[in-house]
Amino acid sequence: MAYLIFIVAVGLYALLGAGGPLHRDAWFEALNQRVDALELELLPSLALRVGAPLFACGMLLFVLRAVMGGLADALIGTALLYFALGRGDYPTDLARFLARARVGDTEGAALLLDDFQPEASASEGQRTRAMTQFTGRGFSRWFPPVFYFWLLGPLAAAGYRLFGLVNIRADGRLDSVQVILDWLPARLSLLTFALLGDFERTRGLLTADAFDKEVSNQVLLARGVTRAWQLESGDCDEPEDVVEAVEASRTAINRAMAVWVVLASLGALF
């Protein structure tokens, strides 16, 4: 059942993207406004914002099981995992950035990076910022929800996304918890990059930087792409260097996703 839910949800996401009703989050904003009106402390309000939707889904699943049996698990589980996958049109945003970078429109490309609320410092070169943002965004939209789905089930995957939405609305006040939630999925993604590319060059990240608290998950993954795909280190901000780096990030993310799908399929067979 878990594999069926996974394949259907991931297939729908690949086909429809994040533009459907499950990703509009209007209901979640309405919930947030009601919780805001209660003027609770951070932790109680977080429990309501994340726990209330998950409790409602659990109750709905309990009721539907009595009527539909195992089909209820498939329907609710697929909806929850599809909901958990990331927001925004990542492929289109990446293509827009590459289109501007290819023609040397440095300022236009930089404006697109600003729209993504960069993790990298604005003082860093465009190549580093672009790699950090596109690799980090590609990671967060897919890999952690899938990881928590396989570890704890669809409710856990939905809980991860709800927490992320709350953190965004709270202007990053819960970043320390977000880092913890992303820690293991990021290391598994880094290992996937290493296996797909130059393992020898990437191995140092797995044994050193992966356990350095000063290195963020996004920066770690960008460094992993740089080494695994044998890119030049440093800030080479010529348009062709920026394009090469971002294309490498896209390739790494897409291939790592394919590897995780294959591993899930093999796990279902055995």
Side-chain angles (χ1 to χ4, degrees):
M1 181 66 74
Y3 178 68
L4 176 63
I5 292 171
F6 172 70
I7 287 298
V8 173
V10 169
L12 287 174
Y13 191 69
L15 181 64
L16 304 176
L22 288 178
H23 291 112
R24 291 174 187 162
D25 302 327
W27 66 270
F28 189 60
E29 182 57 31
L31 172 64
N32 281 321
Q33 291 176 3
R34 290 180 179 275
V35 175
D36 289 342
L38 298 176
E39 299 183 353
L40 299 173
E41 296 295 329
L42 180 61
L43 290 181
S45 69
L46 176 64
L48 281 176
R49 296 175 206 272
V50 176
L54 295 181
F55 178 78
C57 288
M59 292 301 298
L60 177 62
L61 179 59
F62 178 78
V63 171
L64 290 180
R65 274 178 181 164
V67 179
M68 305 172 66
L71 181 59
D73 292 274
L75 293 175
I76 300 298
T78 300
L80 287 172
L81 180 55
Y82 183 71
F83 163 83
L85 297 174
R87 273 66 177 148
D89 193 348
Y90 172 77
T92 299
D93 292 337
L94 191 149
R96 289 172 59 205
F97 177 87
L98 287 174
R100 295 191 180 188
R102 287 192 182 103
V103 298
D105 184 5
T106 305
E107 293 183 0
L111 289 175
L112 293 177
L113 290 179
D114 291 338
D115 289 342
F116 299 154
Q117 300 177 346
E119 292 287 342
S121 169
S123 64
E124 294 180 329
Q126 188 177 83
R127 178 178 178 270
T128 298
R129 292 175 59 212
M131 281 199 70
T132 302
Q133 291 177 53
F134 281 112
T135 306
R137 186 175 169 188
F139 160 77
S140 64
R141 70 196 287 264
W142 198 87
F143 293 89
V146 168
F147 171 80
Y148 286 110
F149 168 78
W150 283 110
L151 183 67
L152 298 171
L155 284 172
Y160 170 86
R161 184 56 61 198
L162 287 170
F163 182 88
L165 294 174
V166 171
N167 188 35
I168 292 172
R169 198 172 187 275
D171 297 324
R173 285 188 293 166
L174 301 168
D175 277 349
S176 59
V177 180
Q178 188 72 59
V179 168
I180 295 172
L181 292 175
D182 288 340
W183 194 92
L184 187 53
R187 273 68 189 166
L188 292 176
S189 299
L190 177 63
L191 176 60
T192 309
F193 294 163
L195 295 174
L196 288 169
D198 189 332
F199 184 82
E200 287 301 316
R201 288 189 62 184
T202 316
R203 183 172 56 182
L205 295 177
L206 293 167
T207 57
D209 289 22
F211 300 96
D212 186 346
K213 295 180 180 179
E214 300 300 319
V215 179
S216 71
N217 293 320
Q218 292 83 359
V219 170
L220 177 68
L221 291 170
R223 290 178 183 176
V225 174
T226 299
R227 294 195 188 183
W229 264 254
Q230 300 179 344
L231 302 177
E232 293 293 331
S233 299
D235 280 328
C236 306
D237 282 342
E238 294 298 321
E240 57 270 22
D241 296 317
V242 175
V243 169
E244 179 187 28
V246 174
E247 286 183 336
S249 295
R250 176 171 62 183
T251 300
I253 291 294
N254 289 341
R255 290 183 181 177
M257 289 170 60
V259 167
W260 283 37
V261 171
V262 169
L263 290 176
S265 301
L266 293 175
L269 289 176
F270 297 103

